[in-house]
Amino acid sequence: MADDPQSSVDSMADPYFEPIGPGAFPPLPYDKDIDNDGDDGRPGRDARRFVAAGFVAAGRAAVADVLGTVRTLRFWAVAVAGLCTTWAVVAALVLLPGTAGDSTEWVPPPVLAYVMASSLLPATAALVAMHWGMRYWAPAAAGGDPERRIFAAVLAAALRGLVFAVLILTTLLLQAAAAGEPGTAAAISAGVAVIEGALFGGMGVAVAALGWRAGRTRVAGWALALFLVAGSVAAAAFLVPAVRTEEPVTVALNIERAPDGSTVAYECSAVSVGVAEVYRTERVMWLPAASPSVLFVMLAGDAGTGAGLIRSLSAAFQEAADGTQVLCVNGEPRSRDAQRMPMAAVGLLLQAAVAGALLVGAHAAADRRRRSA
């Protein structure tokens, strides 16, 4: 009956309880609870594991790509051409009359060749890595989202750079044995080559991934590589006249020097020696720090290798970076604990910043292309 109160009571007699606990609700697409014991294994339950698995797959794809390219004649042609060209330049500088100046009078030619090759081969590794990064971007980046594609290509470029660094180490060790020198410079040169292979390879990948036309990509990549390798040093030399000043100078006392000859500390008296021409090179020395050859010289100089030649170059670079070619400018002393420009660290940071900025831009460009497709 419609008026029966019992019917209304029955409709409210049995309350409804919603189920709670594992499996009660469908999984969220971006659920990050990877430690949930109630995971039912459905897609989207573990986003972080999914991302990690994607990057592992990208790493495997990069290794497979490198294993495929090292079997090609093109790969070894580029590697051997880079090595042979560098050694030919070294031979020309050492053996041809007058090209090495007076350096052969106090450094034997085999040692000079060893030092020059050790400093030039990291630059060669950077240029070769830039070429490989641009050349092998497409095959290494097949499949997946833009982030993992770029990761796979950068990892593949770094692995190719590692192969080239092994070739550099082998040739330098042979030259070290011929010169009767320890293999410290060879090891440092090969280590710098590994770093440059990763950073410049990443730059090459990023330039190629920006989606420009092939001709524009090659021009941009080579322009960037040549500027960092040699143009940064030339730019600093060009800017030296711009930092020339005339400053009052006083007499320096109690000068302390490091084993490499660079000035560590000194005191200044009140006795004036007049006004001197001073080049404030500390304002521009961050530029050449980005060069792979300068990076090698600074690291090898700290290690005390190269029969004094590398230590002398390292000391000269450090004095220019600290601005201590002329002491007691404006009567300012220098203490032993005063900060010195860490040129090696500055160079690595500059290269990493350029590579990182390019890779971020490449990822954004690839993501925009995917959204518009």
Side-chain angles (χ1 to χ4, degrees):
M1 295 176 56
D3 298 334
D4 189 357
Q6 184 66 31
S7 61
S8 61
V9 173
D10 291 342
S11 63
M12 304 176 58
D14 298 326
Y16 174 73
F17 297 97
E18 293 185 355
I20 61 173
F25 302 100
L28 297 176
Y30 300 102
D31 188 2
K32 297 182 178 180
D33 187 12
I34 61 174
D35 296 323
N36 191 346
D37 294 333
D39 189 356
D40 57 2
R42 284 179 288 182
R45 189 65 177 176
D46 189 352
R48 279 187 287 187
R49 276 187 197 165
F50 179 76
V51 171
F55 278 101
V56 169
R60 291 176 179 172
V63 172
D65 177 74
V66 171
L67 291 177
T69 55
V70 296
R71 298 171 185 163
T72 63
L73 181 61
R74 181 191 294 268
F75 175 87
W76 292 107
V78 172
V80 173
L83 285 175
C84 292
T85 301
T86 304
W87 281 104
V89 171
V90 171
L93 293 175
V94 173
L95 300 178
L96 292 182
T99 55
D102 297 330
S103 60
T104 56
E105 296 180 3
W106 55 283
V107 179
V111 177
L112 185 60
Y114 176 49
V115 171
M116 285 187 173
S118 298
S119 61
L120 290 179
L121 282 171
T124 304
L127 296 176
V128 170
M130 176 66 75
H131 167 73
W132 280 337
M134 293 186 295
R135 169 68 178 80
Y136 293 112
W137 148 251
D145 60 66
E147 185 175 356
R148 286 195 284 271
R149 291 204 305 268
I150 293 177
F151 173 77
V154 172
L155 180 58
L159 292 176
R160 291 187 188 91
L162 181 61
V163 174
F164 191 69
V166 172
L167 298 178
I168 289 176
L169 180 61
T170 302
T171 58
L172 286 177
L173 287 177
L174 292 175
Q175 181 63 28
E181 289 288 308
T184 308
I188 296 174
S189 181
V192 175
V194 172
I195 297 172
E196 303 301 347
L199 292 176
F200 278 77
M203 294 179 202
V205 167
V207 170
L210 285 172
W212 299 334
R213 293 181 180 178
R216 189 184 300 179
T217 296
R218 286 192 293 269
V219 170
W222 284 115
L224 175 62
L226 290 174
F227 175 78
L228 291 176
V229 168
S232 58
V233 180
F238 179 79
L239 290 173
V240 166
V243 296
R244 174 189 172 277
T245 61
E246 292 185 354
E247 305 281 355
V249 179
T250 60
V251 175
L253 304 173
N254 301 325
I255 301 174
E256 299 181 30
R257 297 189 182 275
D260 59 8
S262 60
T263 304
V264 175
Y266 53 86
E267 298 176 2
C268 296
S269 70
V271 180
S272 174
V273 294
V275 176
E277 183 181 68
V278 179
Y279 290 91
R280 307 308 296 260
T281 51
E282 68 274 14
R283 299 173 183 174
V284 297
M285 282 304 291
W286 58 271
L287 267 171
S291 172
S293 295
V294 175
L295 176 60
F296 162 79
V297 168
M298 299 310 298
L299 292 176
D302 291 341
T305 186
L309 180 58
I310 295 180
R311 290 196 297 273
S312 299
L313 290 173
S314 175
F317 280 129
Q318 191 62 59
E319 283 194 346
D322 295 335
T324 56
Q325 300 96 323
V326 178
L327 306 183
C328 289
V329 176
N330 293 314
E332 297 177 359
R334 183 180 184 86
S335 62
R336 176 174 285 274
D337 58 352
Q339 292 292 330
R340 309 184 77 183
M341 179 188 289
M343 285 195 66
V346 170
L348 286 175
L349 286 175
L350 284 174
Q351 293 179 9
V354 172
L358 287 173
L359 287 171
V360 169
H363 174 70
D367 191 55
R368 284 196 302 269
R369 289 194 300 270
R370 185 187 61 172
R371 291 175 183 271
S372 62

